[in-house]
Amino acid sequence: MAAETASFPGAAGLRRRKRTERVIARLLFVFSAVSILTTLGIVAVLLLESARFFADVSPFEFLTGTEWTPLFRPARFGVLPLLMGSVLIAGGAAIVALPLGLAAAIYLSEYAGDRTRAWLKPTLELLAGVPTVVYGYFALSFVTPIIRSILPGTSIFNAASASIVMGIMIIPMVSSLSEDAMRAVPQVLREGAYALGATKFEVAARTIVPAALSGILASFVLAVSRAIGETMIVTIAAGSTPALTLNPFTSVQTMTAYIAQTSFGEAPQGSVEYNTIFAVGLALFALTLAMNVISGMILRRYREAYE
Amino acid sequence: MTGQPSGVQRRPTGRPTDAVSDVPKDFQPRLRARARAGTVFAGLCFAATLVGVLALAALLADIITDGWHRLTPGFLSGYPSRFADRAGILPALVGSGWVLALTALVAFPLGVGTAIWLEEYAPDNRFTRAVETNIANLAGVPSIVYGILGLALFVRAFALGRSVLAAALTLALLILPVIIIASQEAIKAVPDSIRLGAYALGATRWEAICHSVLPLALPGILTGTILALSRAIGEAAPVILVGALGFLAFVPKGPLDGFTVIPFQIFSWVSRPQVEFQELAAAASIVLLVMLLLMNGTAIWLRNRYSRKY
Amino acid sequence: MKSTHVTHRSLPVLAAMFAIAGCGGSSGSGDAALSGSIEIDGSSTVYLISEAVAEEFSLVHRDVRANVAFSGTGGGFKRFCAGETDISDASRPITDSERTLCAQNGIDFIELKVALDGVAVTVHPQNDFVQCMRVDELKRIWEPGSTIRRWSEVRPEWPAESIKLYGAGTNSGTFDYFTEAVMGESRASRPDYTASEDDNVLVQGVEGDRYALGYFGFAYYQENANRLKVVAVDAGGGCIEPTVETIESGTYAPLSRPLFIYVRTMSLARPEARAFMDFYLEHAGELARQVGYVPLGADEYQAGMSLVQRSASGS
């Protein structure tokens, strides 16, 4: 209005700057659209390509079948063995990571001095920074021989080795997020508990942890979701035999390993293998998305409101 | 009930209680037992923390002892070979360099731009919150799903083939949420007074951001970006899907060239049963870890040197 | 000073001369300026030879990129007939349906034998009870619907331990070949075994499992002979172990076979591909032996080179 027609010094410059402003605002909006497009892209690709798969194989068979032999005759397309492999390994990883991570979080939050925390916390974070392919190597070259020396019947590719290493990898996820949740608990609660005569242990275990429970649980769910979505450790160390089993000492195949191992030589478009990649990918995406959403819900719903 | 401050509930225990304090008469403080339990617990928690540290030490020791003797100048400048003694990671190093550069080129502007829009321009409505939720969910999508997206979109639909560019674009999408979230935090940390001061001096919104907010947020943004990029060069799964090559006698010369990256080379070598190739995988792992150490170290140095308290 | 001045000026001229010489040459030997890329995919068995050839070739011709992958014989043919590769490695002959597919897409090709191979049946090195197996025993273990789980179900004197099976994946020519040779029908196999197109994975598996039984290309056994134990196969004429001699003479039956490469005729028009093919046939014998396969006779390689020559000149 006034800016367009005014003639004070700098008026033309102002118009130009406002034009630039509008252009930049639009440009930034377009940049932001990329994130939305990414999600849409993932969903579209998975759905459209899986549709081809599901034209040949019924979703019911896919979701409930107990054999996964897409390339044999007779071909069976039940995803349950792959799902079981993922769950078995993620479960094993959780058994390792959840107690250790929570205990580490309690130590860092309630017991450790500032100096200890200064080196201990980054060291644990380093675990999260190691590339997963290196973890896979570690599982195959270090952990598997140890397991086989304890239990000689174990296959060279087995779920236990992958579980343990994956558990180690996700400890920092649990410990960092839980520790953040615990540090967010206001000091007054601690002081109140001490005032009532509680020991440090009781303060930690019976006051802080329950107060931070939503954050801790959310971290658990996120960590397990990460374990389910992990590819390289299982591809290298867990094997390529789909099996509906709870035995961690044999070779299993997870959803992620199937996708990776099938794609290792390029799968020609339109082939059965190509289509199964998308169907399994869709299942994987749905599962991890559900877990992430649940984790967010836990965080919001049960967060204790302080002051 | 006598002697009760308002609002305090006390479960009736059924035991005889002291008249004044309502504490059960047979209450035993058991201080020593509880203190002992506390020490045991503290010890367990410390031990748990130590397990993580020891696991890291074991991993590093394993890799270094297995691979150290294969780390020769020939290894760093050689090509993959069927003879373990001749094999090297030059194509993988160069490929990783290419991928890193292209990924940064794509992801940095997109990520920072999105963060700026979300923090400075976007109205606080349901749409914006949905976008932020969407980004948080994208951060949790498994990397192999990004690989599937990259395969269908960049390799096939955009017809880029199994090229450096396809891999870089895929990895850029993968780390975009991380950059966005980190940049948002950095921008949020800049106090409003800075912006208001700029407006008071007549700046437009973009000028305020560009000249006042961004310089202050830049260390945090760069730290987040470097950490995100260090994740990108360690990824093998999306790269497998997009089609890295197992045997390469050349280094990529352009963005549409075939390629391999260090994590993929490690994976190739791990899959071979001969001990020599396992050692090569360990040696390549050392190289990768050193690269990551340098990147993370830079990020931490940046954060410590330039971040300010307001 | 003077000498460097001369060198600087003459360099571009010398370079141009080399370039012209390189562009004009068609025989492929001694040219320093060949460039381009060659795509090879297919059998993981033949991969070992193609990889060796590609590596040696690249030492001579630095600017030619020979990319070798191993999607399996079947996967390789799918890509070959879609026009995505120049050469398809195959551990079994091309099938009629694959031939039709190629014809439909206008892909003309020539078939070249490059070596002989055997499928080795292996067990863990500390397996002390298996020396020799009959073909019908192998069939009973591997056929579709087989319910054999333990060694003792094959021969009662063998231990009652479960057999851990490792074998070629379904995209692999070795799979097609083994099933055809042992079961009598291609692709007929029980599905519950550790399958992989990557023979290295199978070697790792058998090497690691006390009661494992696996089959894969002879070259992979040879490469890892100190870590595996090979099983002699009795097809009715006695127990024969796979060796270079028994494979060459064909006495290691029924698991000896020829290895092929299929080359797209159109690709031979490119000088770098032509040079590569000549190099391949020239060195396939020695490289095959190096890698663990059985070379063909010199006259067979010569015949191959003549075939390449005839196809390249547009006949």
Side-chain angles (χ1 to χ4, degrees):
Chain A
M1 293 175 339
E4 264 84 32
T5 53
S7 55
F8 52 86
L14 184 60
R15 281 195 292 278
R16 192 179 1 107
R17 287 158 60 206
K18 286 201 163 206
R19 250 201 316 271
T20 317
E21 174 71 31
R22 278 197 292 273
V23 167
I24 300 245
R26 290 220 181 92
L27 184 66
L28 292 181
F29 176 72
V30 166
F31 280 7
S32 315
V34 170
S35 65
I36 307 187
L37 288 177
T38 308
T39 310
L40 289 179
I42 292 178
V43 172
V45 161
L46 289 176
L47 282 179
L48 288 175
E49 300 281 357
S50 305
R52 243 175 284 215
F53 174 78
F54 287 118
D56 293 325
V57 177
S58 84
F60 183 73
E61 188 203 332
F62 181 70
L63 290 172
T64 60
T66 56
E67 276 186 62
W68 180 258
T69 58
L71 303 169
F72 287 91
R73 297 202 187 96
R76 296 260 153 74
F77 295 94
V79 80
L80 287 184
L82 295 181
L83 186 60
M84 179 62 111
S86 293
V87 167
L88 179 65
I89 292 186
I95 292 177
V96 170
L98 301 189
L100 288 180
L102 184 57
I106 294 176
Y107 180 75
L108 283 172
S109 157
E110 304 296 317
Y111 286 95
D114 277 331
R115 258 185 327 180
T116 324
R117 199 181 299 122
W119 65 264
L120 198 46
K121 191 163 167 161
T123 310
L124 274 186
E125 304 271 330
L126 278 178
L127 280 177
V130 175
T132 52
V133 72
V134 175
Y135 270 120
Y137 172 82
F138 180 59
L140 194 62
S141 74
F142 188 83
V143 180
T144 298
I146 292 181
I147 296 181
R148 282 155 61 83
S149 63
I150 300 176
L151 290 163
T154 313
S155 309
I156 194 167
F157 299 119
N158 61 76
S161 178
S163 286
I164 292 173
V165 172
M166 208 186 297
I168 295 174
M169 178 186 84
I170 58 177
I171 286 179
M173 252 183 114
V174 177
S175 72
S176 278
L177 292 174
S178 300
E179 192 210 334
D180 286 344
M182 286 193 277
R183 310 249 287 146
V185 174
Q187 199 61 5
V188 277
L189 276 170
R190 282 188 192 82
E191 288 165 359
Y194 283 129
L196 289 171
T199 64
K200 202 167 199 177
F201 164 40
E202 287 156 359
V203 170
R206 298 222 254 160
T207 310
I208 305 294
V209 168
L213 201 57
S214 71
I216 294 174
L217 282 181
S219 80
F220 283 5
V221 175
L222 271 179
V224 172
S225 163
R226 175 91 168 84
I228 288 187
E230 210 319 282
T231 306
M232 296 317 295
I233 302 179
V234 289
T235 305
I236 292 176
S240 52
T241 324
L244 202 59
T245 175
L246 281 172
N247 179 0
F249 301 108
T250 65
S251 140
V252 298
Q253 191 177 43
T254 64
M255 294 189 282
T256 49
Y258 174 76
I259 297 174
Q261 283 156 351
T262 308
S263 319
F264 193 38
E266 173 162 329
Q269 197 158 11
S271 63
V272 179
E273 306 98 294
Y274 189 73
N275 293 340
T276 53
I277 290 177
F278 292 93
V280 176
L282 181 62
L284 178 68
F285 176 68
L287 183 58
T288 49
L289 186 66
M291 292 185 77
N292 291 350
V293 167
I294 289 175
S295 155
M297 275 168 45
I298 294 177
L299 205 52
R300 274 192 303 276
R301 203 70 126 60
Y302 296 105
R303 196 203 300 272
E304 304 275 346
Y306 302 118
E307 32 238 330
Chain B
M1 288 182 275
T2 57
Q4 291 292 321
S6 60
V8 172
Q9 313 284 2
R10 178 77 57 94
R11 255 179 308 122
T13 56
R15 283 144 70 190
T17 60
D18 184 275
V20 175
S21 69
D22 286 323
V23 173
K25 269 208 183 123
D26 56 353
F27 172 71
Q28 300 287 351
R30 290 183 308 127
L31 280 172
R32 223 161 351 149
R34 285 160 59 202
R36 234 194 337 256
T39 323
V40 169
F41 182 71
L44 285 176
C45 287
F46 181 66
T49 320
L50 227 44
V51 168
V53 177
L54 286 176
L56 183 65
L59 180 125
L60 291 175
D62 181 41
I63 299 216
I64 293 179
T65 51
D66 285 349
W68 185 252
H69 61 278
R70 294 228 169 243
L71 266 188
T72 62
F75 177 70
L76 294 172
S77 60
Y79 291 82
S81 164
R82 64 194 190 282
F83 299 114
D85 293 323
R86 274 204 259 168
I89 53 167
L90 186 64
L93 269 176
V94 175
S96 282
W98 268 97
V99 169
L100 190 62
L102 287 177
T103 305
L105 212 58
V106 173
F108 184 72
L110 281 179
V112 178
T114 306
I116 295 175
W117 186 78
L118 282 171
E119 282 301 310
E120 302 287 334
Y121 285 86
D124 191 16
N125 58 21
R126 265 224 299 251
F127 176 71
T128 312
R129 276 196 293 279
V131 171
E132 289 181 332
T133 316
N134 179 47
I135 291 173
N137 283 337
L138 279 178
V141 170
S143 60
I144 199 161
V145 174
Y146 280 100
I148 296 179
L149 175 66
L151 173 68
L153 192 62
F154 300 126
V155 175
R156 297 257 152 98
F158 284 18
L160 292 173
R162 301 159 104 180
S163 65
V164 178
L165 189 56
L169 290 173
T170 309
L171 289 173
L173 286 184
L174 174 69
I175 63 173
L176 205 54
V178 181
I179 296 185
I180 294 174
I181 294 175
S183 305
Q184 266 188 290
E185 291 298 313
I187 294 174
K188 251 195 267 240
V190 176
D192 246 358
S193 52
I194 309 272
R195 289 179 193 84
L196 294 174
Y199 292 145
L201 290 172
T204 65
R205 204 191 303 219
W206 172 243
E207 286 163 356
I209 297 172
C210 188
H211 298 292
S212 304
V213 176
L214 269 189
L216 291 175
L218 206 55
I221 293 178
L222 283 178
T223 307
T225 308
I226 294 178
L227 289 176
L229 286 172
S230 69
R231 175 152 173 221
I233 51 167
E235 283 287 340
V239 165
I240 292 179
L241 269 274
V242 169
L245 291 167
F247 173 74
L248 263 202
F250 62 93
V251 295
K253 288 207 172 62
L256 290 175
D257 248 348
F259 71 104
T260 185
V261 292
I262 300 180
F264 186 80
Q265 192 63 65
I266 297 175
F267 176 60
S268 273
W269 278 332
V270 163
S271 311
R272 296 214 189 193
Q274 295 88 348
V275 174
E276 302 82 49
F277 284 105
Q278 302 286 318
E279 293 172 355
L280 287 173
S285 301
I286 298 178
V287 172
L288 185 59
L289 288 176
V290 166
M291 283 176 73
L292 290 174
L293 202 64
L294 286 174
M295 291 179 80
N296 286 3
T298 312
I300 294 178
W301 173 80
L302 260 180
R303 182 170 62 194
N304 290 346
R305 175 96 194 272
Y306 289 105
S307 72
R308 300 191 207 174
K309 302 275 187 209
Y310 296 104
Chain C
M1 274 310 271
K2 242 200 201 159
S3 52
T4 47
H5 192 61
V6 167
T7 321
H8 279 214
R9 263 219 251 137
S10 58
L11 255 185
V13 178
L14 289 172
M17 283 168 61
F18 275 126
I20 294 171
C23 287
S26 61
S27 66
S29 59
D31 294 3
L34 283 179
S35 73
S37 73
I38 304 168
E39 292 292 325
I40 307 168
D41 197 352
S43 157
S44 68
T45 310
V46 186
Y47 171 79
L48 292 179
I49 304 179
S50 295
E51 183 200 18
V53 172
E55 188 177 338
E56 297 302 322
F57 186 76
S58 71
L59 293 177
V60 178
H61 299 275
R62 261 267 161 252
D63 279 329
V64 181
R65 321 242 181 120
N67 304 329
V68 195
F70 47 95
S71 311
T73 303
F77 275 128
K78 284 185 200 129
R79 293 190 66 205
F80 185 68
C81 292
E84 289 176 30
T85 57
D86 298 302
I87 300 176
S88 204
D89 294 336
S91 55
R92 56 145 173 88
I94 189 171
T95 62
D96 289 327
S97 57
E98 285 160 346
R99 238 180 242 280
T100 317
L101 183 59
C102 273
Q104 270 170 359
N105 295 342
I107 309 278
D108 283 324
F109 57 85
I110 55 175
E111 174 186 283
L112 295 164
K113 237 193 272 192
V114 292
L116 295 172
D117 173 39
V119 177
V121 178
T122 59
V123 291
H124 191 270
Q126 272 149 28
N127 179 318
D128 51 6
F129 50 91
V130 178
Q131 320 297 345
C132 176
M133 288 179 78
R134 296 195 307 274
V135 174
D136 64 89
E137 286 170 331
L138 286 172
K139 174 160 193 250
R140 274 172 46 221
I141 297 176
W142 283 97
E143 62 190 349
S146 164
T147 49
I148 294 193
R149 296 256 175 281
R150 299 173 189 280
W151 287 101
S152 47
E153 294 171 45
V154 184
R155 265 190 223 175
E157 64 264 27
W158 285 346
E161 298 282 352
S162 22
I163 313 182
K164 297 261 179 54
L165 292 173
Y166 292 85
T170 50
N171 250 334
S172 157
T174 312
F175 175 70
D176 298 328
Y177 188 81
F178 181 81
T179 49
E180 169 112 40
V182 171
M183 260 61 78
E185 187 193 325
S186 183
R187 307 182 71 84
S189 163
R190 66 191 289 175
D192 56 339
Y193 64 95
T194 301
S196 177
E197 268 75 32
D198 186 351
D199 291 6
N200 288 305
V201 171
L202 301 177
V203 169
Q204 274 180 336
V206 174
E207 178 195 5
D209 263 319
R210 185 83 207 279
Y211 296 102
L213 174 71
Y215 72 84
F216 39 81
F218 176 65
Y220 285 90
Y221 159 66
Q222 275 246 321
E223 232 178 273
N224 300 287
N226 55 339
R227 299 214 296 262
L228 299 168
K229 177 174 166 182
V230 75
V231 173
V233 173
D234 182 357
C239 295
I240 314 278
E241 263 193 26
T243 65
V244 170
E245 292 74 34
T246 57
I247 292 176
E248 190 162 20
S249 62
T251 44
Y252 177 66
L255 296 174
S256 315
R257 57 180 178 168
L259 299 176
F260 301 95
I261 57 174
Y262 290 80
V263 186
R264 189 170 58 169
T265 324
M266 203 163 65
S267 307
L268 289 173
R270 297 188 341 245
E272 70 273 10
R274 178 67 203 283
F276 185 78
M277 275 322 304
D278 288 333
F279 189 92
Y280 202 126
L281 291 168
E282 227 180 284
H283 294 98
E286 109 202 31
L287 288 175
R289 192 177 299 116
Q290 201 186 86
V291 156
Y293 294 127
V294 180
L296 305 171
D299 50 340
E300 292 190 70
Y301 290 118
Q302 199 56 43
M305 284 203 258
S306 317
L307 182 56
V308 169
Q309 172 105 16
R310 284 200 310 276
S311 313
S313 48
S315 59

